[in-house]
Amino acid sequence: MLKDRFGRTINYMRVSITDRCPLRCRYCMPEGGPHDPGQGLSCGEIVRVCAAAAQLGIDRFRITGGEPLIRKDCAQIIAQLNSTPGVREVLLTTNGILLSENLESLLRAGLDGVNISLDTLDRGEYLALTGADALDRVLASIDRCAGRLKVKINCVVSERTGADTVTALAGLAREMPVDVRYIEMMPIGAGKAFKTVPNSEILRMLEEKYGPMAKEGEPHGNGPAVYRKPAGFSGSIGFVSAVHEKFCDRCNRLRLTAAGDLKPCLCYADRIPLLEILRGEEAGMDERLREKIREAAEQKPRAHCFEDPGAVTEELRMAQIGG
Ligand code: SAM
Ligand code: SF4
């Protein structure tokens, strides 16, 4: 079992398989790029790092990006991870645009669950937020996945999000067996230009519309979301309050960036490069990778500092880090 200096068990890795994305979310990569095609890891390299992590006890992996489904080998990466010894769960985070057409191959690859990012149900607002008139495609993907896979809808909220937008999104969990989760905007990349709305305020808006929401005891996954279930809802409502209710004491994760670096914490620029090892001598490679993974766990700080954006040292965008 992999432990860090603070006794936390590290059993989860988020893996960004590309920093590219066709959308231009205003808080993530409004101007697109930068993209360095020479840097990206191959399917084999990604699986090799994850296999080394699995040997140390990291048994759940989330594929993210950028938009992971723009890689033609996304399902292949998931299938290979699933057949790697020690891997218990492989999940995907996507904007949902290419999900419908990839669903069958992802299911065949053994995907265990999908998080779909969606911040509004209004077509015009979606276009303004993402730069693409693609809301219908995302909704079709949600519809096709619901009931076949564990589905969570991730909604990032800022001061620019209207109360109607917030409450309408929760309606998805009333109608379908999907969880809708509200994520506090974090001061990372273009997100620095936005203000975070505390999730306590979102809960107030939702209870005003849907009535009291009892807290659920059981977690729904590997993350720190707190779930509530309003009466008559098919799915649950989750709150990921990274800024206002810091959950670093329960942090269980490392990140692998699209450029092949390990990241101990989302908030700080510290990185441990793996590319040289992956493209170097074959003999002893797995042991060298395990050493670096142990080092990354060792370097995990006690907590992030999102409450003090000036102290955040990470300058990469979420799309590069793997949100
Ligand atoms: N393209 C995929 C997607 O949008 O789901 C995967 C990558 S995206 C970077 C992963 C998640 O990070 C999305 O849910 C996105 O909304 C979220 N995100 C991006 N920038 C953020 C920020 N500054 N604060 C909070 N969440 C952010
Ligand atoms: Fe692309 Fe996801 Fe970033 Fe939006 S949040 S620009 S979909 S990587």
Side-chain angles (χ1 to χ4, degrees):
M1 192 185 288
L2 188 60
K3 292 265 185 192
D4 75 0
R5 286 177 294 153
F6 305 102
R8 297 174 294 201
T9 300
I10 310 303
N11 58 9
Y12 179 40
M13 186 179 275
R14 297 179 70 102
V15 181
S16 174
I17 64 170
T18 175
D19 59 2
R20 287 178 299 141
C21 178
L23 295 192
R24 297 289 169 263
C25 295
R26 284 188 312 203
Y27 54 77
C28 182
M29 46 192 296
E31 296 101 25
H35 168 65
D36 184 350
Q39 291 290 308
L41 299 187
S42 67
C43 169
E45 289 169 337
I46 291 167
V47 174
R48 189 130 190 192
V49 175
C50 295
Q55 285 158 11
L56 293 173
I58 295 180
D59 59 3
R60 49 208 83 173
F61 295 84
R62 177 171 295 281
I63 303 301
T64 179
E67 176 45 44
L69 289 174
I70 63 168
R71 267 186 79 149
K72 297 267 177 288
D73 57 359
C74 183
Q76 188 191 338
I77 294 170
I78 291 169
Q80 289 194 17
L81 278 181
N82 256 318
S83 56
T84 298
V87 173
R88 232 182 59 186
E89 196 173 41
V90 185
L91 304 152
L92 176 73
T93 294
T94 169
N95 59 31
I97 291 184
L98 302 170
L99 183 54
S100 237
E101 64 213 67
N102 282 290
L103 182 60
E104 297 309 323
S105 59
L106 291 168
L107 288 171
R108 275 197 302 278
L111 183 68
D112 292 296
V114 65
N115 285 6
I116 303 172
S117 303
L118 180 61
D119 301 336
T120 176
L121 291 179
D122 179 272
R123 188 174 164 191
E125 244 176 49
Y126 186 90
L127 172 62
L129 254 169
T130 66
D133 185 10
L135 177 65
D136 288 350
R137 288 171 72 172
V138 182
L139 292 176
S141 291
I142 294 173
D143 209 43
R144 280 199 69 198
C145 291
R148 300 184 74 191
L149 263 177
K150 269 193 295 184
V151 178
K152 295 177 185 166
I153 314 295
N154 279 348
C155 322
V156 174
V157 181
S158 77
E159 85 286 7
R160 305 184 204 179
T161 314
D164 287 354
T165 300
V166 167
T167 54
L169 285 161
L172 291 173
R174 186 174 54 184
E175 311 306 333
M176 288 191 258
V178 301
D179 292 343
V180 170
R181 312 187 323 155
Y182 296 90
I183 318 264
E184 289 183 347
M185 179 77 72
M186 291 179 261
I188 289 278
K192 286 181 179 156
F194 291 74
K195 283 205 189 86
T196 307
V197 177
N199 264 336
S200 52
E201 176 61 14
I202 303 302
L203 176 61
R204 191 196 57 71
M205 289 176 196
L206 294 175
E207 289 195 318
E208 204 170 289
K209 178 159 170 92
Y210 296 108
M213 297 191 175
K215 218 175 198 174
E216 290 180 3
E218 289 299 304
H220 287 210
N222 303 309
V226 172
Y227 286 91
R228 294 174 178 267
K229 183 126 179 175
F233 270 50
S234 180
S236 299
I237 303 294
F239 298 90
V240 183
S241 314
V243 181
H244 285 90
E245 285 166 47
K246 229 170 173 170
F247 36 69
C248 300
D249 56 331
R250 285 172 284 140
C251 188
N252 60 351
R253 61 198 58 188
L254 291 177
R255 288 182 153 80
L256 177 64
T257 71
D261 296 335
L262 287 170
K263 241 184 98 56
C265 176
L266 188 55
C267 167
Y268 303 102
D270 307 66
R271 282 188 272 287
I272 295 174
L274 299 183
L275 213 54
E276 214 172 294
I277 295 179
L278 283 166
R279 296 187 182 168
E281 204 186 323
E282 175 62 36
M285 185 185 290
D286 293 320
E287 182 47 34
R288 286 196 295 280
L289 289 173
R290 286 194 296 270
E291 258 168 44
K292 292 292 175 189
I293 295 165
R294 281 193 211 98
E295 210 180 292
E298 185 69 20
Q299 283 185 19
K300 274 183 75 63
R302 184 187 287 279
H304 69 62
C305 60
F306 287 143
E307 68 283 5
D308 176 13
V312 174
T313 53
E314 183 53 85
E315 289 187 344
L316 295 181
R317 297 137 189 257
M318 206 64 131
Q320 293 167 292
I321 300 166

